[in-house]
């Protein structure tokens, strides 16, 4: 199937899911699974079509390796998350609208990644923004949708202005031609670069545009949070890639001031990426809501992705594109595990949970695998991609960025351990003794994502080969591979050998555990502490103020959210004043304005 038919099929599938949901909402949820899986298979089988061009109505498209790669990541996340949709249909006020918008936003992302002209890119960008905006309030909060759309609108308007400016100067809407023209005008290239990449910064959640992530992720339906974190934020990474890969940024900025060998325009954005890593890590550590915790981790990982893309070199660029995939599947898997917990318990508050491992062993295992990858611990995929990014930063001598990346990796150990210890480990509350675990339909996508996390962590070459094709298409020397080993500045990294070593260590630990004498099992209440009887199981569960001593170090930190809230309050006060002065129905206000107008007429010397 050609890619034009694929996109049309996905849009038709959205309308079909709507019609099915009108008669049976659960069947509509299942239809999203079928349609997204078919789309994924057709996309994977169509990789040989890279280089083809096609048109739908007046919109033009071109199948590129980078577009195919981003589309594969997006459809994978959507298809795996769709397995959960049918379980939430009864909780949805408008299940038919949700299923329609779910597939409609997916089709919009694929059209965006294959857009060959700027107008088509903007049309599909807005399709995704609007459809996802209407999904977010189907969860817990409409305010989250307002914030999400407001931040997205900043990026949308910036993109539209950049498009109009580019067309006015270059005379074309074709992306490759318009961006190539910028190489001849460094000043205009700088202006377009900052305006265009603004859309990427807002969508990927880079500081100071990160505020929508915890609100939208925490409030969106549990079945859409994995899509937001694992999928839609990657649209921002795609715009960032276009801003330095398709737009010849390094060529246009060759005469600019250099900082640590990097053009100042690019270095400043890398600083924002570094701040996002540190900020996202610190904020994730202190969260009591599991969904908001993973959302802030997305802010931190977005910083890694942005820095690597902006580097546009052999190691960091490859690491960034690989981390984009690793974070997508790991964060999606983590969100799905929290969705299972929320489905069974009705809450995502860490302090209200505990001991879920006793009722959800498979869910616990999936969460453990996903957080190991998010933290960048071998032998999972996240380790390889973070290692490549840090290697590239070290090679360029970018100490500040490398320290931020290292801090984020260490800090991630803390925030991923919090739900692990407080949600899945610890004591199971008596109210959850009869709790059921994940259903088979829920286990399928979680197991698939876990298998992919492990597989690409052990055999990264299969994804790095595709990334090498992307690097070659923009004139970068592809990542060097020797079998399954990756060539870097400090030698070779063979993930398979790392996996064998970790596996050997695990087997030794397992043997010791099995052979040594087991501890005697006693009842939960068969103990005392400091001569005081522990009278409730909850007192054994340490979940409140989990990292209180560490959190106190930055308890009174400056807050972008508070700054923006204060600005919003001032505008609200201004609006209330204008409303009171000009739109009041009070007679006293009417008399006041009649007096003012009469005085102006009289003092102005007007004659009747």
């Amino acid at each position: 199937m050609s890619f034009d038919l694929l996109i049309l099929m996905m849009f038709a599938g959205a309308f079909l899911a709507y019609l099915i949901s009108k008669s049976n909402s659960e069947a509509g949820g299942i239809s999203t699974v079928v349609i997204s899986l078919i789309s994924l298979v057709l996309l994977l089988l169509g990789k040989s079509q890279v280089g083809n061009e096609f048109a739908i109505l007046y919109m033009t498209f071109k199948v590129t390796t980078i577009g195919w790669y981003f589309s594969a990541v997006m459809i994978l996340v959507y298809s795996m998350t769709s397995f959960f949709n049918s379980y939430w249909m009864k909780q949805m006020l408008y299940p038919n609208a949700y299923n329609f918008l779910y597939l409609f936003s997916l089709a919009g992302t694929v059209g965006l990644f294959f857009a060959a002209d700027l107008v088509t890119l903007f049309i599909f960008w807005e399709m995704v923004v609007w459809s996802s905006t209407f999904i977010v309030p189907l969860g817990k909060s409409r305010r989250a949708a307002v914030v999400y759309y407001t931040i997205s609108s900043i990026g949308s308007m910036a993109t539209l202005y950049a498009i109009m400016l580019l067309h006015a100067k270059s005379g074309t809407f074709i992306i490759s031609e318009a961006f190539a023209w910028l190489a001849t005008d460094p000043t205009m290239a700088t202006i377009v670069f900052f305006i265009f990449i603004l859309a990427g910064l807002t969508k990927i959640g880079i500081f100071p545009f990160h505020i929508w992530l915890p609100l939208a992720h925490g409030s969106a339906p549990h079945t859409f949070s994995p899509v937001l974190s694992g999928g839609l934020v990657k649209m921002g990474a795609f715009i960032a890639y276009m801003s330095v890969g398709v737009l010849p940024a390094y060529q246009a900025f060759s005469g600019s001031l250099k900082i640590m060998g990097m053009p100042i325009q690019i270095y400043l954005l890398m600083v924002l990426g570094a701040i996002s890593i540190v900020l996202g890590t610190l904020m994730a550590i202190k969260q009591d809501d599991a969904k908001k915790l993973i959302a802030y981790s997305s802010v931190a990982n977005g910083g890694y992705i942005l820095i690597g893309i902006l580097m546009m070199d052999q190691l960091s660029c490859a690491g960034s594109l690989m981390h984009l995939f690793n974070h997508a599947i790991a964060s999606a898997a983590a969100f799905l595990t929290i969705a299972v917990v929320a489905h069974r318990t009705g809450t995502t508050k860490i302090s209200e949970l505990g001991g879920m491992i006793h009722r959800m062993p498979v869910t616990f295992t999936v969460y453990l695998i996903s957080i190991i990858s998010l933290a960048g611990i071998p032998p999972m995929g996240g380790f390889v991609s973070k290692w490549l990014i840090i290697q590239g930063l070290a090679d360029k001598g970018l100490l500040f960025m490398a320290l931020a990346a290292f801090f984020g990796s260490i800090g991630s150990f803390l925030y991923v351990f919090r739900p692990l210890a407080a949600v899945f480990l610890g004591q199971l509350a008596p109210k959850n003794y009869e709790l059921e675990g994940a259903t088979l339909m829920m286990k399928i996508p979680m197991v698939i994502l876990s298998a992919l996390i492990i597989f690409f962590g052990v055999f990264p070459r299969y994804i790095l080969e595709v990334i090498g094709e992307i690097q070659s298409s923009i004139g970068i020397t592809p990542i060097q591979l020797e079998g399954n080993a990756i060539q870097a500045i400090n030698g070779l990294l063979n993930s398979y050998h790392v996996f064998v070593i970790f596996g050997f260590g695990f087997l030794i630990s397992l043997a010791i555990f099995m052979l040594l004498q087991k501890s005697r099992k006693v009842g939960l209440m068969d103990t005392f502490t400091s001569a005081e009887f522990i009278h409730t199981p909850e007192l054994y569960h340490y979940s409140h103020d989990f990292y209180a001593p560490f959190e106190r170090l930055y308890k009174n930190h400056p807050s972008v959210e508070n700054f923006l809230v204060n600005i919003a309050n001032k505008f609200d006060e201004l609006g209330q004043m204008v409303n009171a002065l000009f739109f009041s129905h009070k007679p006293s206000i009417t008399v006041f304005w009649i007096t003012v107008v009469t005085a102006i007429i009289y003092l102005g010397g007007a004659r009747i």
Side-chain angles (χ1 to χ4, degrees):
M1 176 183 287
S2 59
F3 278 59
D4 55 343
L5 294 179
L6 172 62
I7 294 176
L8 291 174
M9 183 208 76
M10 295 169 71
F11 279 117
F15 287 97
L16 178 62
Y18 176 84
L19 295 176
I20 295 175
S21 301
K22 291 285 285 184
S23 58
N24 189 310
S25 60
E26 292 187 11
I30 294 174
S31 70
T32 63
V33 181
V34 176
I35 294 170
S36 57
L37 284 176
I38 292 175
S39 301
L40 178 62
V41 172
L42 293 176
L43 181 84
L44 295 177
L45 294 176
K47 188 175 183 298
S48 59
Q49 297 184 38
V50 170
N52 291 352
E53 298 182 8
F54 59 93
I56 300 177
L57 299 178
Y58 295 101
M59 299 177 291
T60 59
F61 303 85
K62 182 175 182 179
V63 183
T64 60
T65 306
I66 187 67
W68 181 90
Y69 178 73
F70 271 83
S71 297
V73 174
M74 193 70 69
I75 300 179
L76 175 63
V77 172
Y78 266 87
S79 60
M80 293 297 101
T81 306
S82 64
F83 280 82
F84 279 59
N85 283 343
S86 59
Y87 294 99
W88 263 265
M89 290 298 101
K90 292 182 180 179
Q91 302 178 24
M92 295 283 184
L93 290 175
Y94 309 102
N96 48 345
Y98 175 83
N99 290 328
F100 167 77
L101 294 170
Y102 187 87
L103 292 175
F104 191 86
S105 62
L106 173 59
T109 60
V110 176
L112 167 72
F113 296 142
F114 290 137
D117 66 86
L118 293 165
V119 175
T120 300
L121 182 143
F122 182 76
I123 290 173
F124 280 88
W125 176 276
E126 286 300 287
M127 286 182 182
V128 179
V129 169
W130 278 97
S131 54
S132 56
T133 297
F134 286 120
I135 289 178
V136 171
L138 296 178
K140 296 185 295 184
S141 170
R142 293 191 176 185
R143 177 177 177 269
V146 173
V147 175
Y148 171 65
Y149 181 71
T150 301
I151 300 296
S152 297
S153 294
I154 294 174
S156 297
M157 294 303 101
T159 303
L160 181 61
Y161 182 78
I163 291 173
M164 296 297 103
L165 185 62
L166 258 178
H167 181 263
K169 297 296 183 181
S170 66
T172 180
F173 284 119
I174 303 300
I175 294 176
S176 57
E177 297 176 5
F179 280 2
W181 175 88
L182 291 173
T184 62
D185 191 338
T187 302
M188 186 57 61
T190 300
I191 295 173
V192 172
F193 172 74
F194 279 113
I195 296 175
F196 192 76
I197 205 172
L198 185 61
L201 300 183
T202 57
K203 184 57 68 176
I204 202 173
I206 296 299
F207 174 87
F209 305 107
H210 65 286
I211 60 173
W212 71 266
L213 268 81
L215 283 173
H217 288 55
S219 301
H222 298 311
T223 53
F224 197 67
S225 293
V227 170
L228 277 174
S229 179
L232 294 186
V233 297
K234 304 306 182 287
M235 290 167 54
F238 181 75
I239 296 298
Y241 169 85
M242 292 183 62
S243 300
V244 289
V246 181
L247 189 158
Y250 278 86
Q251 180 182 350
F253 304 151
S254 58
S256 301
L257 175 67
K258 300 294 194 303
I259 300 178
M260 304 296 293
M262 306 291 294
I264 186 172
Q265 296 93 330
I266 292 176
Y267 187 84
L268 291 175
L269 292 179
M270 293 177 67
V271 170
L272 293 182
I275 294 174
S276 299
I277 293 174
V278 176
L279 175 68
T281 300
L282 292 176
M283 294 302 294
I285 289 172
K286 62 188 296 185
Q287 297 306 309
D288 185 48
D289 187 294
K291 289 178 68 175
K292 288 186 177 181
L293 184 149
I294 303 174
Y296 273 114
S297 78
S298 296
V299 175
N301 283 281
Y304 284 100
I305 295 171
L306 179 67
I307 288 175
I309 288 178
L310 291 174
M311 291 279 287
M312 275 292 135
D313 64 347
Q314 185 185 58
L315 294 175
S316 289
C317 180
S320 174
L321 292 175
M322 184 181 183
H323 195 63
L324 181 144
F325 173 80
N326 289 331
H327 177 258
I329 59 176
S331 65
F335 266 116
L336 290 179
T337 61
I338 301 303
V340 174
V341 174
H343 180 64
R344 295 305 188 189
T345 66
T347 182
T348 57
K349 292 289 185 181
I350 296 174
S351 57
E352 297 175 1
L353 298 165
M356 292 295 110
I357 186 176
H358 302 292
R359 295 293 175 264
M360 305 175 181
V362 174
T363 304
F364 163 77
T365 304
V366 173
Y367 179 79
L368 181 63
I369 292 172
S370 64
I371 65 170
I372 289 175
S373 183
L374 287 173
I377 302 173
M380 305 305 171
F383 164 72
V384 180
S385 52
K386 282 189 175 182
W387 181 82
L388 284 169
I389 293 172
I390 294 175
Q391 285 282 310
L393 292 172
D395 185 34
K396 292 290 176 57
L398 297 170
L399 180 62
F400 174 73
M401 311 298 172
L403 287 175
F406 184 73
F407 175 85
S409 295
I410 300 300
S412 62
F413 297 163
L414 298 178
Y415 68 68
V416 298
F417 181 74
R418 183 168 188 164
L420 179 71
V423 173
F424 292 101
L425 303 180
Q427 302 301 328
L428 181 67
K431 64 180 181 180
N432 294 326
Y433 281 168
E434 304 302 323
L435 206 66
E436 296 182 2
T439 65
L440 177 61
M441 193 77 164
M442 291 177 172
K443 291 177 182 177
I444 290 173
M446 293 195 297
V447 171
I448 292 175
L449 290 173
S450 300
L452 292 175
I453 291 170
I454 297 173
F455 178 81
F456 287 110
V458 179
F459 302 104
R461 61 168 299 177
Y462 293 104
I463 192 169
L464 288 174
E465 287 175 348
V466 177
I467 292 173
E469 295 177 21
I470 297 172
Q471 289 179 300
S472 297
S473 66
I474 55 176
I476 299 176
T477 303
I479 186 77
Q480 298 299 304
L481 302 173
E482 295 183 14
N484 196 55
I486 305 170
Q487 179 69 53
I489 59 173
N490 293 326
L492 294 173
L493 170 66
N494 194 316
S495 299
Y496 177 74
H497 293 167
V498 175
F499 173 74
V500 170
I501 294 171
F502 268 75
F504 185 67
F506 174 78
L507 291 176
I508 293 177
S509 302
L510 181 63
I512 294 174
F513 174 78
M514 298 298 294
L515 295 175
L516 291 183
Q517 184 178 358
K518 303 296 184 297
S519 58
R520 180 177 64 89
K521 289 187 176 181
V522 298
L524 177 62
M525 309 307 296
D526 185 15
T527 185
F528 62 90
T529 300
S530 300
E532 293 195 14
F533 181 68
I534 304 299
H535 54 86
T536 63
E538 286 80 6
L539 293 176
Y540 279 101
H541 185 45
Y542 176 62
S543 58
H544 291 278
D545 297 327
F546 200 82
Y547 290 122
F550 181 73
E551 291 174 29
R552 281 196 291 269
L553 297 176
Y554 60 99
K555 181 179 180 180
N556 298 318
H557 62 86
S559 173
V560 174
E561 291 91 335
N562 292 340
F563 174 73
L564 295 176
V565 167
N566 290 334
I567 293 178
N569 290 336
K570 295 302 179 184
F571 274 102
D572 184 58
E573 293 173 3
L574 178 62
Q576 292 179 15
M577 183 183 71
V578 171
N579 184 67
L581 289 176
F582 295 98
F583 301 99
S584 175
H585 297 288
K586 295 180 179 180
S588 58
I589 299 297
T590 304
V591 172
F592 169 77
W593 282 114
I594 291 174
T595 304
V596 170
V597 172
T598 303
I600 292 174
I601 293 174
Y602 178 78
L603 295 175
R607 295 181 180 179
I608 299 177

